[in-house]
Amino acid sequence: MGLGALMPEAAMGRFTGGEAARSGDARIDAKRAKWARFYDMASPSPNLYIIHYKEHEGAESVPMPVSGPMEGDPDKKRLEWFWSNYNRHLENSAWLKDDRVPALNGMYCFTGTEIFAEAFGCKVQRYDRQAPFALPMVSRASEAAKVRKPDLERTSLCKLFEFVDKLRAMSGGVGLVKLPDIQSPMDIVALIWDKNDLYMALYDEPEAVRELASMVKTLMAEFLDAWFTRYGTDFLAHFPDYYMPYGVTLSEDEIGAVGRDHYGEFFLGELNDLSDRYGAMGIHCCAHARHQWGGLREVRNLRLLNLDPGQANLWDAYDFFKDRCAQWHAWYDRGRHLSHDLGWLPGGARFIVDAHAETKDEALRLSERLYAECGN
């Protein structure tokens, strides 16, 4: 598959701002413009809200890519599922007043966390009812030294472009897409390199770790350059599904397992490099990483932070990050914090409310209430 010339370093400015292409749907374009204002911490903006109700999700889970023989065409089944789900979201946006921006693969990603580890040569475990995951292929520094950065056009990452090309073609080439489930470079290193040895290597073989992380970051940048050149710079994050007018979004989970010094030594620099390259960053963190909150504040151009709601003292984050970035932490809270008004949130916090409804009438009532309470 020919991806065309990768974006040269001198042209990176095209990824760091500017208006997103218009969709041709005035309602959707207005939502996208509202999100762009929301991220400008220096300007006044209402808070945003997303309403989920059961019809959003469809009757069946998205078919997963599997290895080996499968009845029918697995890509065809997945394409049909995503297309049906997209049209359902478009229809709902006509009557449901919230801030969701429909995307061709909204609600669900079309990959697991495996994509970059697989590109480097890791074997992938696949099942038909859960996301694929990579198996580590490196167990010591001497093995890591033999790893080489692959040529993007010769990797399995090209299958993603082929799939998204087909999906976008169904929308006439204008449908918004969300990024795949992208991990930070060091998180990808932790997929390639067995963690039983990797964490000791942070102390004993730090240069070997840095070298592998550098190769991962380079391949990731090549992939993202090609992706944004092909599909545009605005997108939905892989999780939760918030709109970004430009920038990059990723998961940063391994910081929960390391100390503050190692965060500064191995993680912060690569996050800032990627944020600088694409102009902004959104971060999802599943880990219990309260000790890294100070370090997360140091990520340049951080636009949105999503922390696992299961961790202790999560609600303190709204105050801790209120002057730094927008926040969306309650993505599976099922409305627990909506049993009263939103006045308990600290003044100045910029946040997204996640609400759930079982029926259309309930969704409409919630939308009216949250439209007012979020300051619209």
Side-chain angles (χ1 to χ4, degrees):
M1 174 186 181
L3 296 180
L6 295 176
M7 185 59 54
E9 204 59 41
M12 282 300 102
R14 69 182 294 180
F15 293 143
T16 59
E19 284 193 23
R22 295 190 177 275
S23 69
D25 185 320
R27 294 165 304 176
I28 304 303
D29 288 338
K31 289 184 180 185
R32 291 157 79 170
K34 187 178 178 182
W35 279 92
R37 293 192 300 271
F38 175 70
Y39 290 129
D40 183 358
M41 299 296 288
S43 299
S45 170
N47 292 306
L48 307 185
Y49 61 98
I50 303 290
I51 296 177
H52 308 271
Y53 84 111
K54 60 183 179 180
E55 291 183 24
H56 274 141
E57 302 183 8
E60 299 178 353
S61 297
V62 56
M64 290 291 175
V66 298
S67 58
M70 180 177 180
E71 182 180 351
D73 179 352
D75 261 7
K76 183 174 183 293
K77 291 179 180 179
R78 300 177 77 224
L79 287 166
E80 289 173 349
W81 190 96
F82 281 122
W83 180 243
S84 174
N85 194 59
Y86 175 59
N87 280 286
R88 184 162 45 247
H89 279 262
L90 287 176
E91 292 167 4
N92 291 338
S93 70
W95 59 264
L96 180 58
K97 183 167 59 179
D98 73 350
D99 296 303
R100 180 188 299 278
V101 177
L104 286 163
N105 56 325
M107 293 293 291
Y108 298 96
C109 261
F110 36 56
T111 73
T113 60
E114 81 290 351
I115 57 175
F116 287 101
E118 182 180 21
F120 272 87
C122 288
K123 294 181 179 179
V124 175
Q125 187 68 55
R126 302 182 189 275
Y127 299 96
D128 61 353
R129 295 188 181 277
Q130 71 181 61
F133 59 90
L135 303 175
M137 68 179 194
V138 167
S139 59
R140 56 183 62 89
S142 59
E143 294 175 357
K146 298 176 182 178
V147 176
R148 297 291 180 267
K149 186 192 77 66
D151 181 348
L152 174 61
E153 296 193 19
R154 297 178 182 274
T155 69
S156 51
L157 290 165
C158 289
K159 295 177 182 177
L160 280 172
F161 291 98
E162 294 171 358
F163 185 85
V164 177
D165 283 351
K166 294 176 183 177
L167 192 57
R168 286 202 94 208
M170 297 170 77
S171 73
V174 299
L176 191 72
V177 294
K178 66 162 56 179
L179 279 182
D181 192 347
I182 293 176
Q183 316 296 295
S184 74
M186 274 297 295
D187 276 35
I188 294 167
V189 168
L191 297 176
I192 297 171
W193 193 330
D194 190 324
K195 295 180 189 180
N196 291 303
D197 188 78
L198 172 63
Y199 288 129
M200 293 305 299
L202 298 180
Y203 295 93
D204 300 334
E205 302 282 353
E207 287 306 316
V209 177
R210 290 192 192 94
E211 184 175 353
L212 181 55
S214 178
M215 285 190 285
V216 171
K217 185 177 68 173
T218 299
L219 180 65
M220 180 186 296
E222 291 175 354
F223 172 82
L224 289 168
D225 290 355
W227 184 279
F228 294 139
T229 299
R230 204 174 189 89
Y231 306 124
T233 57
D234 65 330
F235 60 94
L236 251 61
H238 86 279
F239 185 84
D241 49 350
Y242 55 95
Y243 173 77
M244 288 282 281
Y246 63 92
V248 64
T249 59
L250 48 74
S251 291
E252 183 59 279
D253 301 326
E254 294 302 317
I255 59 173
V258 302
R260 295 176 186 174
D261 289 346
H262 279 149
Y263 170 82
E265 185 177 354
F266 293 97
F267 293 81
L268 180 59
E270 63 185 24
L271 292 174
N272 280 331
D273 286 348
L274 288 167
S275 186
D276 289 346
R277 186 179 185 90
Y278 301 107
M281 178 167 283
I283 295 177
H284 158 67
C285 180
C286 279
H288 287 205
R290 176 65 179 84
H291 61 296
Q292 305 291 15
W293 285 8
L296 289 171
R297 283 183 60 91
E298 296 179 35
V299 177
R300 290 192 288 269
N301 300 312
L302 182 62
R303 294 291 186 262
L304 187 138
L305 180 64
N306 168 251
L307 301 174
D308 188 312
Q311 61 184 282
N313 303 317
L314 173 68
W315 305 117
D316 293 343
Y318 283 106
D319 189 59
F320 190 85
F321 292 100
K322 69 180 181 181
D323 63 340
R324 185 68 184 85
C325 63
Q327 301 175 71
W328 187 0
H329 304 313
W331 37 267
Y332 61 67
D333 196 44
R334 293 286 170 184
R336 176 173 59 85
H337 64 301
L338 294 176
S339 59
H340 48 80
D341 64 40
L342 302 175
W344 63 273
L345 286 162
R350 191 161 294 196
F351 55 86
I352 302 166
V353 175
D354 211 39
H356 297 259
E358 291 295 319
T359 67
K360 183 175 180 177
D361 286 344
E362 185 181 0
L364 287 168
R365 288 194 299 271
L366 266 176
S367 71
E368 292 300 326
R369 171 188 164 190
L370 291 173
Y371 183 81
E373 290 189 11
C374 287
N376 289 272

